[in-house]
Amino acid sequence: MRITAVTCVKNEGPFLLEWIAFNRLIGVTDFLIYSNDCTDGTDRLLDALGEYGVVHLPNPARGRNYQMEALKHAAKQPVVRDADWVWIADVDEFLNIHTGDHTIPALIAACGNPRAISVTFQFFANDGIERFEDRPVIEQFTRTHNPDLWCADSAIEVKTLIRKDFPLQYFGAHRPFFREAKGAELPSWTDGSGRPVPPKFHTAANTRRIRRFPAAGARRYATLNHYALRSLDSYLVKNDRGDVNREGRAFDDSYWRERNDRAWEERSIHRYLPALEAALADMKRGEIGALHDEAVHLHLEKINELKGRPAYAEMWKHLRALPPYPPGELEIRHELGLTT
């Protein structure tokens, strides 16, 4: 089975090898990775990863929405057109498969081989980790929100595996879209428990929720672990670079607070750690290891530079002092007398 992962990156050098090694462990065979104006060696590292199935291209976008323009371009590339399945995800997202041998083929089989599988996010908190460390992200961050509730919402975003015969109109970052033909049968499409996705999500009939549906019971076979915050140090770099998907988008403290709910502990993804660490050790031999080390060095330099700027120093202190509750919960806790 040929499975191609597609992503866009900007200054993700220290985190690339973990993401690529992890995806290879779960069955991804090929990668199409678009880079945007990198200054941390990400592009040089990607160019060196051809033996691991990586096709690296500069992002062709000329407008503001870098990711959607890249996905339009990706749909025409041989590495995508020749794939049996396409997996569109970001470098801070890890597909944690709970069934069979914990690979994508096992997930597909458990779900009954539909034309698409949408897997629900679980957002992992920073949990008070301040310093960047060059070791697996999936090992460091283990606290998360109630799996069925995120902030005040029971509907949580998804990312989607797409089979090659899906009647595609265009790729979205979270789900594919198709043009309904009169009398044509709708494509089979499940959640991460093998259940049909909600009808309005399936047909994009609810424009406010085209990227999400209720999370309760949706993760029997797989969860999408999303490490959007990582360390506080690395979060400064994330703010500095902006959003790879949209030019000029900033991450204010609401983004941090929404994703820094540490109410639950979740370590099931650690089942992959022994194989992941072995794969990383193998990848880091020779030139690739040197390029990775360079990216780590440049990441640390950027952290130190940002901490020397008054605005970023204040941001670091502000985020560090925030309580670990999503927006609204702290106010409710005060109202109920649960906090001082």
Side-chain angles (χ1 to χ4, degrees), residues 161-200:
L161 274 162
I162 306 152
R163 205 171 78 184
K164 67 179 179 181
D165 61 349
F166 187 92
L168 185 72
Q169 182 181 3
Y170 64 92
F171 289 125
H174 291 255
R175 46 82 55 81
F177 293 85
F178 61 93
R179 182 179 289 110
E180 290 186 66
K182 188 175 182 179
E185 184 177 343
L186 294 175
S188 55
W189 192 340
T190 74
D191 65 11
S193 291
R195 309 175 305 184
V197 297
K200 286 188 175 182

Side-chain angles (χ1 to χ4, degrees), residues 34 37 89 107 168-169 181 216 219 289:
Y34 293 93
D37 303 323
L107 172 61
L168 185 72
Q169 182 181 3
R219 300 189 185 90

Side-chain angles (χ1 to χ4, degrees), residues 23-84:
N23 276 282
R24 282 167 55 85
L25 288 177
I26 64 172
V28 172
T29 56
D30 300 274
F31 300 83
L32 177 57
I33 302 180
Y34 293 93
S35 65
N36 298 346
D37 303 323
C38 297
T39 59
D40 72 341
T42 290
D43 45 3
R44 293 190 295 276
L45 180 54
L46 287 171
D47 286 340
L49 288 168
E51 67 181 288
Y52 293 97
V54 174
V55 175
H56 170 220
L57 296 174
N59 196 313
R62 298 187 180 280
R64 294 180 64 250
N65 199 327
Y66 293 128
Q67 189 175 41
M68 290 307 298
E69 293 190 45
L71 292 178
K72 183 178 180 180
H73 186 270
K76 302 172 184 177
Q77 303 309 303
V79 69
V80 170
R81 295 177 66 89
D82 295 342
D84 298 300

Side-chain angles (χ1 to χ4, degrees), residues 72-248:
K72 183 178 180 180
H73 186 270
K76 302 172 184 177
Q77 303 309 303
V79 69
V80 170
R81 295 177 66 89
D82 295 342
D84 298 300
W85 288 81
V86 175
W87 172 234
I88 297 170
D90 297 334
V91 174
D92 57 5
E93 297 164 358
F94 291 76
L95 183 55
N96 183 14
I97 298 167
H98 311 308
T99 189
D101 64 356
H102 310 295
T103 64
I104 290 174
L107 172 61
I108 292 166
C111 291
N113 194 26
R115 289 182 170 184
I117 303 170
S118 289
V119 182
T120 302
F121 277 126
Q122 184 113 18
F123 296 99
F124 279 73
N126 162 266
D127 195 24
I129 296 175
E130 298 177 5
R131 307 301 179 189
F132 164 77
E133 292 187 42
D134 182 21
R135 61 189 182 93
V137 167
I138 67 167
E139 179 184 18
Q140 295 181 64
F141 302 94
T142 61
R143 307 296 301 192
T144 183
H145 54 89
N146 180 323
D148 293 343
L149 296 172
W150 178 52
C151 299
D153 204 340
S154 61
I156 300 177
E157 292 183 340
V158 299
K159 288 290 177 79
T160 305
L161 274 162
I162 306 152
R163 205 171 78 184
K164 67 179 179 181
D165 61 349
F166 187 92
L168 185 72
Q169 182 181 3
Y170 64 92
F171 289 125
H174 291 255
R175 46 82 55 81
F177 293 85
F178 61 93
R179 182 179 289 110
E180 290 186 66
K182 188 175 182 179
E185 184 177 343
L186 294 175
S188 55
W189 192 340
T190 74
D191 65 11
S193 291
R195 309 175 305 184
V197 297
K200 286 188 175 182
F201 175 88
H202 190 288
T203 59
N206 186 342
T207 56
R208 292 184 63 248
R209 290 193 170 181
I210 60 172
R211 309 192 314 182
R212 55 185 175 162
F213 52 75
R219 300 189 185 90
R220 179 180 178 186
Y221 301 133
T223 300
L224 186 56
N225 289 21
H226 190 188
Y227 302 91
L229 304 183
R230 301 183 182 128
S231 70
L232 183 49
D233 281 353
S234 292
Y235 190 74
L236 292 187
V237 179
K238 182 172 185 170
N239 274 266
D240 177 68
R241 71 147 203 237
D243 189 343
V244 70
N245 302 333
R246 286 184 287 282
E247 182 182 23

